[in-house]
Amino acid sequence: MTGLRRVLVANRGEIAVRIVRACHAAGVEAVAVYSDADENARWVQLADEAVHIGRSAAQKSYLDSDALLKAARSADVEAVHPGYGFLSENAAFARAIVEAGLVFVGPPPSAMEQMGDKAAARRAAQAAGVPVVPGSGPVDDPEDAVRVAEEVGYPLLVKAAAGGGGRGIRPVADAAELVDVLPGARAEARSAFGDGTVYLERAVPGARHVEVQVLADEHGNVVHLFERDCSVQRRRQKLLEEAPASDLRESTRQAITSAAVRLAGHVGYRNAGTVEFLVDSDENFYFIEMNTRVQVEHPITEAITGVDVIAEQLRIAGGAALTLEQDSVERRGVAIEMRINAEDPERDFAPTPGEITALHLPGGPGVRVDTGIVRGDRISPFYDSLIAKLICWGADREQAYARAGQALAEFHVGGVASTISLHRRLTADPRLRAGPVHTGWLEESRAGD
């Protein structure tokens, strides 16, 4: 039981479908929201009720906190689940939900604010005894930035303090480049995140991107659900994720998961969250950020642990204590998630909005497809281009990748170009199948092809 009766799903697409289903499985009514573009969408049809929130542009609908609050009041819900993206990590929105007397299915606004500010998050990690990449506090004056950069060490990254999702990051090789990049980085941060604060962080060449899924309740209990490797990236955007991280020493796994739990406890975290790290070739690991929401790639954690992350979010939001104890969480097998986007890999991943004229989804043992799309739907230029997430589980990496290859061979999308062809190449690539790769591997390998 969740302790909740009725939940507003303040999102769209596959994650809205996922949350509606989790609500229904828990005996909770789900209220969907939709823009003009999504009036006949799948999650709208699956929900118990649906509320129109505005025009097609995200700023006029899914990013309109007032419209979402109005929808919550009119639909007589007890709680709001933000999903991922849009307002999911917006502390002001979370606070408005709480002040309206509703439950926000996520962390306390104070924890979101602390972990959403990258500089504050670094300080919290250090206070919790979690290793961080050498870096600085906020910098704005070019002369001061050059002085600080000498202490941090090159190569480095100029990062937006309020950034996330791989955005707001600029690599810098030397002082001249830093002076040149700094004004644009601050302007970009202000435009994209509403906050022009930037800081410096030393680059870790050849590092893996490893993240730890945590769950925490309001009673002080925190557990981890092991780790995921998200190193297959394009411009710091994840394309393929794997759980658990392959070829990671057990001592490193224990240390990195313990660090994630320690940090969550230190900041008074609640609900589902993900602590992200860089892991170098010697398996030294460094905290980089915490995502204060459910992750796109949560299904692979569910596949290897059997824990329904969304169901746990609802239970925690309803005030229940975790039923999970760390010793009871076991991992089994290997899972891979591939993001199938309406993008053309042969044209530098240009978006390809349009009508889905055909959609053939794969199946079979260990194969799961999360999608909010059916044949005849349109991929809108107003939103993210995600068509579906393909999740493949196997008893080991060999079986997981074999199932992924077969599933991708069956997967067909008509009407728009997609990343299916890229994933077919990736899952067949002997370099990836042989073991872990670093975050720059994909771009380096494509450049060499």
Side-chain angles (χ1 to χ4, degrees):
M1 298 295 291
T2 67
L4 300 175
R5 175 185 57 85
R6 193 167 162 89
V7 173
L8 185 83
V9 183
N11 215 298
R12 67 178 302 279
E14 68 84 17
I15 191 61
V17 171
R18 174 76 179 89
I19 297 166
V20 168
R21 286 174 168 164
C23 286
H24 288 166
V28 177
E29 293 181 355
V31 178
V33 296
Y34 64 94
S35 69
D36 288 348
D38 292 332
E39 182 177 3
N40 299 309
R42 190 177 187 185
W43 63 93
V44 172
Q45 297 170 4
L46 290 174
D48 299 283
E49 182 182 341
V51 181
H52 178 252
I53 54 169
R55 295 161 58 185
S56 298
Q59 293 286 351
K60 302 293 185 180
S61 51
Y62 301 102
L63 286 171
D64 186 338
S65 58
D66 290 338
L68 291 166
L69 274 167
K70 182 179 178 181
R73 293 190 186 98
S74 69
D76 188 32
V77 300
E78 297 165 285
V80 176
H81 195 310
Y84 58 71
F86 293 129
L87 295 174
S88 63
E89 292 184 282
N90 186 304
F93 176 61
R95 183 168 284 108
I97 294 295
V98 173
E99 290 176 352
L102 303 174
V103 175
F104 181 75
V105 185
S110 58
M112 294 179 72
E113 287 173 335
Q114 183 175 18
M115 302 315 288
D117 182 313
K118 300 300 183 290
R122 282 173 55 86
R123 292 193 295 270
Q126 290 172 308
V130 176
V132 300
V133 180
S136 74
V139 295
D140 49 17
D141 178 74
E143 289 186 12
D144 181 53
V146 169
R147 179 185 59 78
V148 173
E150 292 299 327
E151 300 173 3
V152 173
Y154 294 97
L156 55 77
L157 304 172
V158 179
K159 304 184 75 172
R167 297 165 60 210
I169 303 173
R170 296 198 181 192
V172 169
D174 53 37
E177 191 172 5
L178 174 59
V179 171
D180 184 55
V181 160
L182 191 62
R186 295 183 64 212
E188 179 186 35
R190 189 178 302 108
S191 173
F193 310 109
D195 182 348
T197 305
V198 299
Y199 66 99
L200 309 181
E201 188 174 273
R202 185 186 300 168
V204 184
R208 300 167 68 181
H209 184 136
V210 177
E211 62 188 29
V212 178
Q213 177 73 65
V214 295
L215 293 172
D217 64 27
E218 64 184 47
H219 307 283
N221 303 306
V222 187
V223 299
H224 70 77
L225 303 181
F226 297 101
E227 81 288 348
R228 303 180 285 251
D229 190 313
C230 307
S231 301
V232 181
Q233 302 179 5
R234 177 189 67 87
R235 296 175 186 165
R236 300 186 177 84
Q237 298 291 311
K238 302 168 186 174
L239 292 177
L240 179 150
E241 300 96 1
E242 182 176 334
S246 67
D247 293 341
L248 197 66
R249 291 194 294 265
E250 190 58 33
S251 59
T252 305
R253 176 172 287 112
Q254 292 178 9
I256 202 169
T257 52
S258 295
V261 167
R262 195 162 62 248
L263 177 59
H266 177 77
V267 300
Y269 198 80
R270 187 172 70 241
N271 215 269
T274 301
V275 185
E276 305 200 352
F277 300 90
L278 292 178
V279 180
D280 69 17
S281 57
D282 295 322
E283 295 200 4
N284 299 305
F285 63 87
Y286 307 96
F287 167 79
I288 48 175
E289 66 178 340
M290 184 174 190
N291 292 127
T292 56
R293 53 170 167 78
V294 68
Q295 292 279 92
V296 178
E297 57 270 23
H298 76 274
I300 53 174
T301 290
E302 295 178 330
I304 67 165
T305 63
V307 176
D308 185 328
V309 173
I310 307 294
E312 292 300 319
Q313 284 193 289
L314 295 171
R315 291 188 71 261
I316 293 167
L322 284 172
T323 57
L324 301 169
E325 295 184 358
Q326 195 62 68
D327 291 345
S328 70
V329 181
E330 299 180 352
R331 70 180 192 272
R332 184 176 69 91
V334 173
I336 309 162
E337 178 176 297
M338 292 138 282
R339 303 189 190 192
I340 310 301
N341 288 78
E343 298 173 351
D344 188 346
E346 305 308 318
R347 294 174 48 237
D348 197 27
F349 295 88
T352 58
E355 182 181 348
I356 301 294
T357 58
L359 184 62
H360 302 294
L361 303 180
V367 175
R368 164 179 167 181
V369 180
D370 284 15
T371 184
I373 298 293
V374 297
R375 184 166 62 90
D377 284 351
R378 295 190 66 83
I379 301 298
S380 171
F382 295 107
Y383 315 118
D384 183 87
S385 64
L386 184 68
I387 299 171
K389 301 184 315 195
L390 173 62
I391 301 99
C392 296
W393 177 90
D396 52 29
R397 289 188 85 236
E398 182 177 1
Q399 186 179 56
Y401 273 88
R403 285 176 169 173
Q406 178 59 38
L408 288 162
E410 297 178 15
F411 208 138
H412 174 67
V413 175
V416 300
S418 78
T419 53
I420 291 175
S421 59
L422 170 67
H423 285 297
R424 286 173 180 160
R425 294 195 296 271
L426 283 175
T427 53
D429 194 312
R431 296 168 294 182
L432 180 58
R433 296 181 73 145
V437 298
H438 60 80
T439 56
W441 171 78
L442 178 60
E443 290 172 337
E444 290 177 7
S445 62
R446 285 175 64 84
D449 288 344

